Amino acid sequence: MLNKIILMGRLTRDPELRRTGSGTAVTSFSLAVDRDFKSQSGEKETDFIDIVAWRGTAEFVSKYFTKGRMAVVEGRLQIRDWTDKDGGKRRSAEVVADNVYFGDSKRDGAGDYGAAPAYSAPSRPAAAPMSGHSDFAEIGEEDGELPF
């Protein structure tokens, strides 16, 4: 199965950093993402997509991103069922961010975005090659011309 989403848009509000009862950082924000096509009336339409980030990604986003900043979010779609205050069944879709990157450069001294270009959640170690060696060989100068 595959559940992978990559979005690029502008934050519609400042991220809200919170902590769970056990102290885990979580932040939520929304991205305004323009559609690639115009509507029948000739207008560009925009989708407003809810994003949630956890742990180090949450802390990174809350520290370096503000309303209006362009962000690239890589993550997965999550659907949540919940009950509203009137007892009605509701369903929400949100993107759980695995990685968040700056989608623009630092703007004319607006804000202090530091030197960190992106935060990636820690990933699982890559699997080692099965044979224990690489199938690629380095071409040295003594090999002459390039093979292509």
Side-chain angles (χ1 to χ4, degrees):
M1 306 290 168
L2 180 65
N3 183 353
K4 184 145 184 118
I5 292 181
I6 299 173
L7 300 167
M8 182 173 180
R10 295 199 180 274
L11 275 72
T12 62
R13 57 185 160 81
D14 289 341
E16 304 168 18
L17 180 66
R18 301 177 311 279
R19 300 231 176 240
T20 65
S22 62
T24 304
V26 59
T27 191
S28 57
F29 57 98
S30 293
L31 281 186
V33 180
D34 290 336
R35 293 186 181 173
D36 289 339
F37 54 89
K38 293 181 181 178
S39 67
Q40 289 180 344
S41 64
E43 301 279 327
K44 275 256 186 179
E45 293 185 6
T46 303
D47 293 305
F48 298 91
I49 301 169
D50 293 329
I51 313 289
V52 63
W54 292 88
R55 297 172 187 78
T57 306
E59 292 174 359
F60 172 77
V61 169
S62 69
K63 183 175 181 180
Y64 293 108
F65 286 85
T66 56
K67 178 180 177 178
R69 188 79 201 259
M70 181 74 73
V72 177
V73 174
E74 180 182 48
R76 62 183 169 83
L77 183 64
Q78 177 175 283
I79 308 296
R80 287 188 302 120
D81 293 320
W82 51 283
T83 304
D84 65 18
K85 62 183 176 185
D86 299 325
K89 299 290 183 185
R90 307 289 296 224
R91 177 171 270 197
S92 297
E94 62 191 6
V95 172
V96 178
D98 293 324
N99 304 304
V100 178
Y101 307 93
F102 292 117
D104 57 3
S105 60
K106 186 174 174 180
R107 294 178 282 177
D108 301 303
D112 177 21
Y113 301 113
Y119 180 84
S120 296
S123 60
R124 289 174 244 151
M130 295 175 90
S131 63
H133 69 279
S134 174
D135 291 334
F136 298 101
E138 186 174 328
I139 298 175
E141 290 181 29
E142 66 278 354
D143 290 337
E145 295 184 20
L146 293 175
F148 50 86

